């Protein structure tokens, strides 16, 4: 039986006890309050006139503000569980005191207000405690069964009251209620709270610790709280109007003598429906539609009923249907969905918001709605059609608010997952007066690196004109180099006289930098001085510019340049470097073969510096003859980024070559692995489409991973369109792979020597288990990367991090975010797979639940090993087969 | 973004760009933009405690100006000034705070959440690689200053106890050998399999040169059998490296020419790994990169303690 219940309610390890305890607490709490209410109503109607209720409602509305504030303070001071225990204690003592008093009208009035306040405070306090105990993911599964405790408690409380008053005075109910409150408090002391949730005050401190990072905790700045408040207000007004319509229609259509029996039967049916929905339907609907979707079910159904009722002028059937929806869903599905909306809120926000919404707002809305209906009734305009019309308007608004919840609900998880920061849309990083002051201060800093950093920041923001030309008087050479580089590339002229000073600088490098910057601006003096410079390297720079003025069509054969190609030693290499720099600065097609000659020259060392200069020259000339050379150079790490930029500059011809090299079987693997990222740098739709095609066309796992990374880069950097269905299909494939590997690992570990606690006897097996763990992490990472490609604006990386976190709330937030993000019929399988891999489950349970997606999987070590030997993953297959200990080749020196 | 936030962010970016000077410009641009966005300013007065020993490590800090003292019982204090990183070793080693950090005067720090830092390294391999190489070169300099070649006390450097066959190693033995090396010990199995498959086992006669001084340093060596004499500088005494140990220890991670020399003392067998293969494996497997960072951070901590101990009670 216990096993059946566990399975039916999807209870997982360690959940049964807190769920049963929560169920019993709610059962007792609602039972006690129902008993108290029965006594209250009976005493009130015997001692006071119904018109006195107005006074009670006003007093209740005012005092509920105070009660809500006190409740929050109590929780802040003593923790949520202790606050509830304290409130129950106060309720028990006060109820017992009222029992001991003579029920005068004043005492009865006090009892009415007191019981109203107890009802207004206890239920929100319980749900806030539940929110603290359970994560969003648990709430989805468990709030339904827990809430059924409230329904059962209501029935039990009413039944107990009915039995008792038949034999005892009505005031005896107060004593029973007081004992029930005490029993609830005692039960609460045994409630198992997760360790991290026991002390609410600590959690508040944590929330407040980093104000720069933490979300704003002011309710006025919480758009989601506003929406929930609106949702609750509209639902409260709508159900009150439905109830009014139901009662007035029943009074009209059913003979007075049959009214009692009618209500009794109808309420019994409603309670039954409510219980069934609570136990069987609520959880499934929430899982299927998501939390935001589930909040729209009740208003949509009421909307249909309201419309039918309006059209028929208040016919009995649609009105009965609406009331059935109200009675059946309000305390079950709608309650669960609304409670779940509070879970992702920051703790402090939730504490304040729930108190105000559930206690103050709902009571106030009830009072206003009742007053409006009363006013309309007094004016004689409250026909059934009019009532149905009001219901219709309220339900349209309610449905609209529910439909608009998905986006802010997602935002809430985005915020939770990003630790409070929410980066959406483009950032404004313009330079204002304060920022300019900071920059000026940085440029005056004695530390050269700070000055260069300030120059870089200005250049990045296209504000080179803010750099004073006087910076060329700076003492530090690195600052001068950077400033000349920036000035040379800018259209500014005011720095030129100061730049000319540097032509006679003692450093050879500085003179070259000055010549370069000035030559870019066509300053003839610079080249003239360079030709006469003491350094042959400086002369080399000028020589190239002079060669450009010649009629020669092929500069590699120019008499002043050709010798530099042959010159040996460090001097020759320095000249060739300067030549490449000069070519990059003043690109001329006649220098194309000069670059090739340098690249193919025997004296050209493939160092990072040399290849970078070569790539820059090739980029400037972007001749297609360079393409094979550049593609080949992708295999070497130094200056790979510069080579990529050169290839991008060569345009479609380079893209053609890269695409061909990807597919060609004879392309070196080291080259192939770096092609996808290079293709991504083209940032065009064509590049994106090619990578998309390789996603399922590539057979080499590493290259496919690089394709995936490349797609990630291109999607992040360019406005390209991706085939979302294809990407999601690939994500599904990776998730299934993750689960498949999990199944193999579970089966392997079941009989592994690694589980014995000691050093495993078989190193191969130890490695195999490690490799399986790697593959698990790898396939999951790929699935998340694909999700990012399909949802480029979302910070999926953080979701992935949260999903792997040790913090159960972070994991739950990740699951809930994915569930909401992937809402929609077409993504159901993907949503289910993500839920499976993110949910808190032990590996064996995860594999069991994944069975529909996996097909047959091995259940023991022997079966797993057999499957692994034939695995499509070559690494796993290799490690599973015997013979890996065979000696490998040895080189003797 | 308000005006105040914009200028604060700009100041952060300038500081970070200065801090990262020496890295390729495109990486600095990317990193400063990303880091600047998620950082928070922390201003302390003299005597203020930034964090206490055994606090959880959720962030590390760049010192913009001022000075911080890091203290713990039984170890010499560290005094760190401008352009230092505070708490990075704890963050890298994934442990609670090992020291209490107190400002010795008015100090401005930039707080970088741990998650953002690791995300950034994972997203930009060039930055990660420069980081590994930079720390390795830093460890090398510390060793030289202390007159050491390798760090025997490195927590990851467990004594090698596995019995290896006398003949050539198979793939599994190679992987098990690599797993005993601190630089690789936390790497993914797949990464180690790749490294082992690309590695070459070599035999060197006694006196045979393994790494000649002053020549390009493009390989790493793990001793299988025999002993190797390694020296990182002509001014530092040479040390002997036995089976299961990486020649030059974690400093072998850097491709920079650091003036090392190694030769076989006795007839030795070694596993030779091309450094580019190691970098490739790191690029593909972040776990291997993290493992390398951890090994280097652990050794750096030991060496920094020794430096501080030698500097005396006033700290360094």
């Amino acid at each position: 039986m216990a096993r059946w219940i566990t399975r039916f309610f999807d209870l997982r390890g360690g959940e049964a006890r807190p769920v049963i305890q929560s169920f019993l607490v709610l059962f007792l709490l609602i039972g006690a309050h129902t008993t108290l209410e029965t006594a209250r109503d009976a005493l009130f109607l015997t001692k006071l006139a119904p018109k006195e209720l107005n006074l009670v409602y006003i007093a209740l509305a005012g005092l509920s503000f105070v009660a809500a504030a006190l409740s929050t303070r109590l929780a802040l001071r003593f923790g949520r569980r202790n606050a509830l225990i304290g409130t129950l204690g106060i309720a028990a003592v006060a109820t017992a005191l009222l029992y001991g008093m003579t029920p005068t009208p004043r005492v009865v009035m006090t009892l009415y207000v007191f019981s109203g306040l107890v009802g207004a405070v206890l239920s929100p306090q319980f749900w806030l405690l539940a929110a603290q105990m359970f994560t969003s993911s648990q709430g989805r599964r468990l709030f339904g069964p827990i809430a059924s405790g409230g329904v059962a408690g209501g029935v039990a409380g009413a039944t107990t009251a009915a039995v008792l008053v038949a034999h005892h005075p009505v005031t005896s109910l107060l004593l029973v209620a007081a004992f029930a409150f005490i029993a609830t408090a005692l039960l609460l002391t045994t409630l198992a709270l997760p360790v991290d949730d026991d002390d609410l005050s600590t959690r508040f401190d944590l929330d407040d610790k980093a104000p720069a990072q933490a979300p704003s905790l002011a309710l006025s700045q919480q758009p989601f709280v506003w929406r929930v408040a609106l949702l609750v207000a509209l639902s409260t007004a709508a159900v009150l109007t439905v109830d009014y319509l139901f009662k007035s229609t029943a009074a009209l259509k059913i003979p007075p003598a049959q009214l009692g029996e009618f209500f009794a039967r109808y309420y019994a049916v409603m309670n039954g429906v409510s219980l069934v929905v609570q136990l069987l339907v609520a959880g499934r609907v929430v899982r299927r539609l998501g939390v935001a979707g589930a909040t729209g079910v009740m208003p949509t159904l009421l909307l249909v009923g309201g419309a039918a009722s309006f059209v028929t002028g208040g016919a009995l059937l649609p009105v009965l249907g609406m009331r059935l929806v109200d009675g059946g869903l309000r305390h079950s599905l709608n309650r669960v969905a609304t409670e779940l909306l509070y879970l992702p809120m920051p703790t402090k926000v939730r504490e304040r918001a729930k108190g105000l919404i559930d206690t103050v707002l709902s009571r106030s809305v009830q009072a206003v709605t009742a007053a409006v209906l009363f006013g309309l009734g007094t004016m004689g305009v409250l026909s059934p059609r009019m009532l149905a019309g009001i219901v219709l308007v309220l339900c349209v608004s309610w449905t609209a608010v529910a439909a608009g919840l998905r986006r802010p609900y997602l935002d809430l998880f985005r915020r939770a997952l990003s630790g409070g920061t929410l980066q959406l849309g483009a950032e404004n990083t313009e330079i204002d007066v304060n920022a300019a002051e900071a920059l000026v201060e940085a440029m005056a800093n004695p530390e050269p690196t700070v000055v260069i950093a300030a120059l870089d920041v200005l250049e990045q923001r296209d504000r080179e004109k803010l750099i004073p030309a006087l910076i060329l008087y700076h003492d530090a050479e690195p600052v001068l180099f950077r400033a000349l580089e920036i000035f040379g590339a800018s259209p500014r002229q005011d720095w030129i006289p100061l730049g000319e000073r540097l032509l006679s600088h003692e450093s050879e490098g500085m003179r070259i930098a000055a010549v370069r910057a000035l030559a870019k601006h066509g300053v003839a003096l610079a080249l003239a001085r360079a030709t006469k410079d003491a350094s042959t390297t400086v002369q080399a720079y000028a020589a190239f510019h002079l060669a450009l003025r010649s009629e020669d069509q092929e500069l590699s054969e120019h008499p002043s340049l050709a010798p530099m190609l042959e010159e040996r030693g460090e001097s020759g290499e320095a000249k060739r470097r300067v030549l490449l720099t000069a070519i990059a600065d003043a690109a001329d097609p006649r220098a194309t073969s000069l670059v090739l000659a340098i690249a193919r020259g025997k004296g050209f060392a493939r160092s990072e510096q040399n290849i970078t200069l070569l790539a820059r020259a090739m980029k400037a000339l972007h001749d297609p003859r360079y393409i094979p050379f550049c593609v080949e150079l992708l295999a070497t790490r130094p200056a790979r980024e510069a080579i990529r930029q050169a290839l991008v500059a060569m345009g479609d011809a380079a893209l053609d070559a890269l695409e061909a090299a990807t597919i060609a079987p004879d392309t070196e693997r080291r080259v192939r692995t770096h092609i996808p990222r290079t293709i991504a740098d083209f940032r065009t739709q064509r590049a994106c489409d090619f990578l998309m095609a390789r996603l399922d066309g590539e057979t080499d796992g590493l290259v496919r991973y690089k394709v995936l990374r490349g797609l990630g880069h291109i999607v992040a950097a360019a406005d390209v369109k991706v085939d979302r269905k294809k990407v999601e299909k690939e994500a599904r494939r990776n998730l299934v792979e993750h689960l498949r590997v999990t199944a193999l690992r579970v089966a392997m570990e079941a009989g592994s020597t690694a589980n014995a606690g000691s050093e495993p006897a078989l190193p191969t097996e130890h490695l195999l288990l490690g490799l399986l763990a790697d593959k698990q992490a790898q396939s999951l990472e790929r699935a998340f990367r694909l999700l990012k490609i399909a949802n480029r604006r979302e910070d999926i990386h953080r979701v992935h991090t949260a999903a792997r976190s040790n913090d159960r709330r972070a994991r739950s937030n990740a699951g809930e975010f994915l569930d909401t993000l992937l809402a929609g019929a077409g993504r159901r399988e993907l949503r289910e797979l993500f839920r499976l891999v993110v949910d808190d489950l032990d590996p064996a349970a995860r594999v069991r639940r994944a069975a529909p997606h996996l097909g047959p999987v091995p259940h023991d070590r022997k079966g797993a090993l057999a499957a692994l030997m034939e695995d499509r993953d070559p690494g796993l297959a290799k490690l599973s087969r015997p013979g890996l200990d065979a000696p490998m080749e040895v080189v003797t020196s | 973004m308000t005006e105040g936030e914009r200028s604060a962010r700009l100041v952060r970016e300038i500081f970070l760009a200065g801090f990262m000077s020496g890295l390729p410009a495109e990486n600095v641009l990317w990193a400063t933009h990303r880091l600047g966005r998620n950082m928070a300013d922390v201003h302390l007065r003299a005597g203020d405690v930034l964090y206490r020993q055994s606090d959880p490590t959720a962030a590390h800090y760049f010192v913009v100006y001022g000075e911080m003292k890091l203290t713990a019982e039984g170890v010499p204090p560290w005094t760190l000034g401008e352009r230092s990183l505070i708490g990075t070793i704890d963050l890298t080693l994934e442990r609670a705070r090992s020291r209490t950090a107190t400002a010795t005067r008015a100090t401005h720090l930039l707080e970088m959440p741990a998650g953002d830092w690791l995300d950034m390294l994972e997203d930009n391999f060039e930055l990660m690689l420069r980081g590994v190489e930079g720390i390795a070169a830093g460890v090398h300099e510390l060793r030289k200053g202390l007159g050491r070649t390798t760090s025997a006390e490195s927590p990851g450097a467990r004594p090698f106890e596995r019995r290896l066959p006398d003949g050539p190693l198979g793939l599994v033995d190679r992987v098990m050998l690599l797993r005993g090396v601190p630089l690789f010990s936390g790497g993914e199995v797949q990464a180690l399999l790749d490294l082992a498959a690309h590695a070459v086992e070599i035999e060197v006669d006694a006196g045979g040169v393994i790494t000649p001084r002053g020549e390009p340093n493009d390989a790493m060596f793990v001793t299988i059998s025999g002993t190797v004499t390694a020296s990182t500088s002509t001014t530092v005494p040479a040390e002997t490296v036995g089976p299961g140990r990486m020649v030059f220890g974690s400093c072998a991670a850097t491709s920079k020419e650091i003036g090392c020399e190694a030769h076989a003392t006795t007839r030795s067998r070694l596993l030779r790994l091309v450094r580019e293969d190691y970098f490739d494996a790191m690029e593909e497997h972040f776990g291997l990169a993290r493992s390398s960072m951890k090994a280097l951070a652990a050794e750096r901590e030991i060496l920094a303690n020794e430096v501080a101990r030698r500097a005396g009670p006033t700290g360094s």
Side-chain angles (χ1 to χ4, degrees), chain A residues 657-733:
Chain A
L658 288 166
E659 288 178 1
T662 310
I663 295 160
D666 57 343
T667 306
E668 195 190 340
R669 190 175 189 240
R670 202 185 275 269
V671 173
R672 288 186 79 231
T673 53
H674 295 289
I675 290 179
R677 176 72 173 80
T678 311
I679 289 178
D681 280 353
F682 281 76
R683 299 183 184 185
T684 60
Q685 188 60 50
R686 179 187 154 185
C688 179
D689 292 344
F690 178 78
L691 291 175
M692 280 298 299
R694 296 309 300 163
L695 204 54
D696 53 10
E698 182 56 57
T699 50
D700 184 320
L702 175 59
V703 179
R704 196 165 58 241
Y705 176 63
K706 295 287 183 181
V707 166
L708 181 56
R709 297 293 302 258
L711 267 173
H713 279 288
I714 200 167
V715 164
D719 186 19
V720 288
K721 287 192 179 111
V722 291
D723 181 346
R724 207 181 74 180
K725 282 189 177 169
K726 195 171 175 181
V727 173
E728 290 185 350
K729 184 182 162 202
E730 187 64 13
R732 284 200 300 275
R733 198 188 63 74

Side-chain angles (χ1 to χ4, degrees), chain B residues 196-214:
Chain B
H198 285 109
V200 175
E201 186 176 329
I202 60 168
E203 277 184 4
V204 187
D205 288 332
V209 175
I210 296 162
T211 305
R213 200 185 303 278

Side-chain angles (χ1 to χ4, degrees), chain A residues 427 637 670 774 798 891, chain B residues 9 116 189 201 203 280:
Chain A
E427 292 171 84
R637 182 180 310 283
R670 202 185 275 269
D774 289 353
R798 279 190 190 278
V891 177
Chain B
R9 164 118 172 239
D116 289 329
V189 173
E201 186 176 329
E203 277 184 4
D280 280 348

Side-chain angles (χ1 to χ4, degrees), chain A residues 105 113 138 175 238 353 385 425 429 477 486 515 531 550 552 557 608 661 732 788 866:
Chain A
V113 173
Q138 289 175 310
L175 204 56
R385 191 184 294 273
T429 52
E477 283 191 21
I486 293 171
V515 175
T531 52
S550 72
D552 290 6
E557 288 159 17
E608 183 170 356
R732 284 200 300 275
K788 170 70 184 171

